[in-house]
Amino acid sequence: MATIQHLGISNTLKSLIQPTNSRIFMLKGLMNCHKSMIMTIGDRIRALRKEQKLTQADLAAKVSLTYIQIGRYEQQKSKPSADVVRRLADALGTTADYLMNGDSQAVAATKVTDRELLDLFAAVEELDDQDQKMVKTFIDALVTKRRVQALA
């Protein structure tokens, strides 16, 4: 019986099994997406707070609470009211939907820290398909131009 090496397939199989940067990046993205779906509101508050290098006291000051209360939220010992969720979302640069539900559309919003840009993206979503396509084409052209300039 012929082995895999005799068939000349071993290198191909090895290349399929070897982790590449793109495969690792894709797996990390899937893990993060899955993670955001099973995270609690406390987990999301903690993750965003740490991502922004804020202490519980820093976040508490931004939303007019005590650091003890922030800790209670993060440990699921207490649930924030709707008003507090809104204030936390504003302070953390995300949406209340993301904090409450881990909404997959809101995940992208957590990566964009410029509020004006977020508002513009929200406004673009209200445009018709043709206008949205034009905006996407313009953004793609601008990004491509900058990448080409960076290579030069």
Side-chain angles (χ1 to χ4, degrees):
M1 180 175 270
T3 65
I4 291 176
Q5 286 180 332
H6 289 119
L7 296 174
I9 303 175
S10 64
N11 286 339
T12 304
L13 287 176
K14 283 181 186 176
S15 70
L16 290 173
I17 295 170
Q18 293 283 343
T20 63
N21 286 343
S22 62
R23 285 190 194 117
I24 291 170
F25 180 75
M26 182 179 71
L27 288 173
K28 283 182 180 179
L30 288 172
M31 287 172 30
N32 287 339
C33 182
H34 176 69
K35 197 184 217 183
S36 74
M37 291 189 302
I38 60 172
M39 290 173 69
T40 65
I41 185 171
D43 295 332
R44 287 185 285 275
I45 292 169
R46 180 184 306 109
L48 290 170
R49 176 180 60 77
K50 287 185 175 187
E51 187 177 292
Q52 295 178 26
K53 297 179 179 22
L54 296 172
T55 65
Q56 288 180 342
D58 294 335
L59 180 57
K62 286 184 165 198
V63 294
S64 303
L65 294 172
T66 66
Y67 74 92
I68 294 169
Q69 191 61 43
I70 299 294
R72 287 182 185 142
Y73 296 148
E74 290 182 1
Q75 295 169 15
Q76 282 73 244
K77 292 182 179 178
S78 179
K79 294 193 183 236
S81 67
D83 178 58
V84 171
V85 170
R86 182 189 51 75
R87 293 189 335 235
L88 285 166
D90 287 344
L92 293 168
T94 190
T95 64
D97 277 345
Y98 176 73
L99 286 181
M100 294 297 294
N101 307 315
D103 182 12
S104 60
Q105 290 180 338
V107 172
T110 64
K111 301 297 180 194
V112 179
T113 57
D114 185 331
R115 278 311 254 188
E116 184 179 4
L117 195 53
L118 280 172
D119 292 341
L120 287 170
F121 284 138
V124 167
E125 285 184 333
E126 296 173 7
L127 298 174
D128 64 31
D129 290 344
Q130 185 178 2
D131 288 344
Q132 284 184 12
K133 186 175 180 179
M134 186 172 37
V135 170
K136 289 175 188 176
T137 301
F138 176 76
I139 291 171
D140 183 53
L142 181 62
V143 169
T144 301
K145 175 184 172 188
R146 294 295 183 217
R147 287 179 178 162
V148 168
Q149 287 174 340
L151 293 174

